[in-house]
């Protein structure tokens, strides 16, 4: 018997995209790769012969409780492809201590009380990340957009959903990565319930505003503003960019953002300069 080689990364991505980034039977966004033809017989990895099943449906298939025919039919009409959005998935946030980390910056609220609202990141008056407590339950809300201002991923009161027409979404353990193309990460989130969400990397976009989240910096491309390791504690709004800043004590505000009349190339050059200066200071 030859050792079974791993499924190549690019093939896995192709399978994820075809299956709508979820179990083909129920849409669950945490899944395993399942060979529809028995490995022992075919001994090959072919994208079209592999599908996605969640643990429960994988187990049922293995135990003969989910017929092969049902898996094949679901593979041809994946659950998440039917509506264009993934099935909602509950994230287990709870308690009164909450925190957004964005690169090496941190916005937190300790002891959030019932009825209170904390928006660690706001663009043009819209909270991209927000926590509130309602009837003793901590609720996390999150939204991220693409360049066309269309939501691509959302957490609505702890329930995660995403657009299933993206190029790639890969969720492994706590880390969810959205890619726009090969090697191009649009957003990488790390969920650490009960209290923390971390935007590790990516581009946050809204109404022509771009906030780059690098490994150890935040950078607003429009106005070439380079920020590292900023932090707020117990400010109802942590970091606000753009217009319509909520009038409730924002910790850090970037206003007067240029929408169209800025030079992206120059901004990127400035960012590279900031990063190399920082490295030489280390
Ligand atoms: Zn399933």
């Amino acid at each position: 018997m030859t050792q079974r080689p791993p499924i190549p990364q690019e093939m896995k991505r192709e399978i994820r995209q075809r299956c709508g980034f979820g179990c083909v039977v129920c849409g669950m966004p945490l899944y395993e790769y399942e060979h529809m033809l028995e490995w022992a017989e075919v001994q090959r990895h072919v994208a079209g012969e592999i599908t996605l099943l969640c643990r429960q449906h994988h187990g049922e298939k293995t135990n003969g409780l989910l017929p092969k025919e049902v898996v094949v039919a679901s593979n041809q009409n994946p659950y998440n492809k039917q509506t264009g959005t993934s099935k909602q998935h509950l994230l287990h946030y709870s308690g009164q201590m909450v925190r957004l980390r964005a690169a090496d910056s941190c916005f937190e609220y300790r002891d959030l009380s019932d009825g209170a609202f904390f928006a660690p990141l706001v663009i043009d008056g819209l909270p991209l990340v927000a926590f509130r407590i309602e009837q003793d339950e901590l609720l996390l809300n999150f939204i991220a957009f693409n360049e066309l201002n269309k939501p691509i991923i959302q957490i609505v009161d702890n329930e995660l959903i995403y657009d299933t027409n993206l190029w790639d979404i890969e969720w492994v353990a706590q880390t969810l990565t959205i890619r726009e193309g090969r090697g191009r990460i649009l957003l990488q989130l790390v969920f650490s319930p009960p209290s923390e969400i971390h935007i590790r990397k990516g581009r946050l976009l809204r109404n022509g505003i771009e906030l780059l989240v690098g490994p150890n910096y935040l950078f607003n491309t429009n106005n070439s503003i380079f920020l590292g390791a900023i932090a707020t504690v117990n400010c109802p709004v942590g970091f606000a960019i753009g217009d319509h800043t909520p009038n409730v004590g924002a910790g850090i505000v970037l206003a007067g953002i240029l929408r169209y009349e800025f030079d992206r190339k120059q901004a990127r050059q400035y960012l590279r300069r900031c990063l190399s200066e920082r490295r030489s200071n280390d």
Side-chain angles (χ1 to χ4, degrees):
M1 275 275 293
T2 50
Q3 187 104 43
R4 180 166 160 168
I7 303 170
Q9 288 302 324
E10 176 49 31
M11 190 181 287
K12 279 187 171 177
R13 189 207 63 78
E14 200 185 313
I15 295 161
R16 287 196 291 274
Q17 188 181 34
R18 194 195 73 230
C19 296
F21 312 102
C23 170
V24 289
V25 177
C26 72
M28 167 101 167
L30 293 164
Y31 44 74
E32 291 156 354
Y33 297 81
E34 160 75 0
H35 285 76
M36 288 182 283
L37 303 173
E38 293 306 318
W39 173 263
E41 288 165 30
V42 296
Q43 304 227 348
R44 64 181 179 197
H45 296 311
V46 175
E49 296 173 358
I50 302 172
T51 194
L52 301 182
L53 289 179
C54 69
R55 264 202 193 160
Q56 184 197 327
H57 286 122
H58 203 171
E60 286 186 358
K61 163 87 187 341
T62 307
N63 289 297
L65 293 168
L66 175 64
K68 233 182 261 180
E69 296 73 24
V70 174
V71 175
V72 170
S74 301
N75 176 67
Q76 281 162 0
N77 188 21
Y79 188 98
N80 282 349
K81 279 290 189 182
Q82 294 168 21
T83 54
T85 46
S86 65
K87 183 178 167 180
Q88 66 257 53
H89 185 76
L90 184 70
L91 297 166
H92 300 276
Y93 283 88
S94 64
Q96 292 172 287
M97 151 89 198
V98 292
R99 184 189 304 126
L100 164 70
R101 281 170 62 208
D104 59 348
S105 292
C106 184
F107 310 95
E108 68 177 38
Y109 210 100
R110 298 166 190 164
D111 216 5
L112 198 65
S113 55
D114 201 50
F117 188 87
F118 169 48
L121 179 63
V122 173
I123 299 186
D124 272 358
L126 180 82
L128 265 51
V129 184
F131 290 95
R132 71 177 200 283
I133 294 189
E134 218 176 83
Q135 292 168 340
D136 290 328
E137 229 189 304
L138 176 65
L139 301 170
L140 166 64
N141 282 267
F142 174 83
I143 188 162
F145 299 89
N146 65 11
E147 252 151 1
L148 305 171
N149 249 352
K150 185 176 176 251
I152 50 169
I153 179 166
Q154 262 181 285
I155 299 169
V156 181
D157 291 347
N158 294 347
E159 297 208 326
L160 173 81
I161 51 166
Y162 46 72
D163 185 338
T164 56
N165 296 307
L166 292 160
W167 191 76
D168 190 27
I169 302 172
E170 186 181 20
W171 190 355
V172 178
Q174 291 173 288
T175 305
L176 186 147
T177 308
I178 300 178
R179 296 185 185 86
E180 300 175 281
R182 198 182 307 271
R184 285 168 48 214
I185 290 178
L186 178 60
L187 197 61
Q188 187 167 65
L189 300 174
V190 184
F191 305 115
S192 303
S195 50
E196 182 183 291
I197 178 170
H198 181 189
I199 304 170
R200 186 188 273 162
K201 216 173 165 187
R203 297 160 65 213
L204 295 169
L205 305 161
R206 175 73 178 153
N207 298 344
I209 294 178
E210 180 181 77
L211 182 71
L212 296 181
V213 181
N216 54 5
Y217 64 86
L218 298 174
F219 184 73
N220 171 246
T221 315
N222 310 66
N223 288 24
S224 283
I225 299 169
F226 183 83
L227 299 159
I230 54 175
T232 67
V233 178
N234 287 7
C235 293
V237 171
F239 183 29
I241 310 174
D243 301 333
H244 314 296
T245 302
N247 189 21
V248 285
I252 295 158
V253 179
L254 303 185
I257 299 293
L258 303 168
R259 301 290 162 148
Y260 304 103
E261 63 279 25
F262 69 97
D263 187 332
R264 179 173 295 271
K265 214 172 128 195
Q266 243 172 39
R268 295 287 173 129
Q269 278 168 1
Y270 176 71
L271 171 61
R272 278 194 293 275
R273 232 179 22 248
C274 292
L275 291 172
S276 78
E277 271 172 35
R278 180 192 266 184
R279 268 194 298 274
S280 58
N281 288 338
D282 282 346

